[in-house]
Amino acid sequence: MSTVLGLAVLGVVGLAGLAIVWQTLTVGISPLPSSARARDAMLALLPPTLEGPVHELGAGWGTVAVPLARRLPNATVIAWERSVVPFAVLWLRARGLRNLEVRRADFFGADFSRASAVVCYLFTGAMERLSRRLRTDLPPGAVVVTHTFALRGWQPELTQRLDDLYRTPVYRYRVEASSQPLASGGDQK
Ligand SMILES: C[S@@+](CC[C@H](N)C(=O)[O-])C[C@H]1O[C@@H](n2cnc3c(N)ncnc32)[C@H](O)[C@@H]1O
């Protein structure tokens, strides 16, 4: 009986491992969680009160999304994650947090038009695409906090270096009115 149970547990762990590897290859990044230092710095760089939707893009296991929802009780935190195994853990951790919505979907499908903030820890390819997307879609005044990877072509209003081996940078950006698309088809900045 205990052998059967042991084999079943081994099977589930093996399948979960395979799913993580497969989705790392297809999504383009592993679900590596932010370090405690990076998480704390990201939370500290956000305004203390935010009310519109706050998106975490690629929320992994909920390392940032869960404390983010606790810290911003008046905001709705929307945590996007495509990879099924970390998403399952994120979903479990979100239960009981009424202001944390979890979505198992590609965050490029998000509606950023009412967002008050965006938080992410991703990779170069996604950041390049996001740089263009967020420039046109975010409302004026929205804040973007990223770590390790910067938004290409954006000027951070603040860069903080973590006290870790890599002096990891954490960036804060703010959308100004001038970065919105021009009303009558003019060139964007
Ligand atoms: C480096 S992990 C960061 C996890 C978490 N944000 C943290 O800081 O602990 C990046 C996550 O983004 C997810 N991801 C990457 N591209 C995505 C996309 N287009 N839509 C949804 N999730 C995505 C990956 O599956 C991965 O779990």
Side-chain angles (χ1 to χ4, degrees):
M1 182 62 186
S2 62
T3 314
V4 173
L5 194 65
L7 284 174
V9 170
L10 215 60
V12 170
V13 171
L15 278 178
L18 279 178
I20 291 174
V21 171
W22 171 248
Q23 294 204 292
T24 294
L25 295 174
T26 51
V27 171
I29 185 165
S30 74
L32 180 72
S34 288
S35 66
R37 278 190 185 133
R39 177 203 61 205
D40 292 349
M42 291 172 95
L43 295 183
L45 287 189
L46 285 165
T49 53
L50 283 171
E51 291 187 2
V54 174
H55 295 262
E56 202 210 341
L57 309 182
W61 315 88
T63 306
V64 176
V66 170
L68 189 57
R70 290 204 177 107
R71 184 165 173 271
L72 298 170
N74 295 325
T76 298
V77 174
I78 306 175
W80 299 81
E81 177 53 54
R82 264 173 75 180
S83 189
V84 69
V85 178
F87 177 82
V89 175
L90 169 66
W91 179 82
L92 281 173
R93 294 183 72 187
R95 288 189 324 159
L97 279 171
R98 52 152 200 87
N99 66 327
L100 177 55
E101 283 179 22
V102 296
R103 304 212 177 142
R104 194 181 161 249
D106 185 340
F107 56 68
F108 283 107
D111 172 8
F112 295 114
S113 62
R114 292 189 320 108
S116 57
V118 169
V119 175
C120 60
Y121 167 34
L122 292 165
F123 58 103
T124 311
M127 294 301 278
E128 283 184 11
R129 214 175 139 194
L130 267 181
S131 302
R132 298 188 291 274
R133 183 67 203 285
L134 296 181
R135 186 180 287 282
T136 55
D137 289 12
L138 282 176
V143 170
V144 183
V145 173
T146 77
H147 89 74
T148 305
F149 300 99
L151 282 173
R152 180 181 277 194
W154 290 53
Q155 184 63 40
E157 66 173 11
L158 199 151
T159 303
Q160 185 180 323
R161 294 258 164 201
L162 300 183
D163 185 17
D164 63 10
L165 191 61
Y166 307 104
R167 307 278 299 142
T168 303
V170 182
Y171 304 98
R172 184 174 74 202
Y173 305 89
R174 196 177 296 269
V175 179
E176 292 168 15
S178 60
S179 63
Q180 295 301 295
L182 299 176
S184 54
D187 287 336
Q188 288 166 26
K189 224 176 120 189

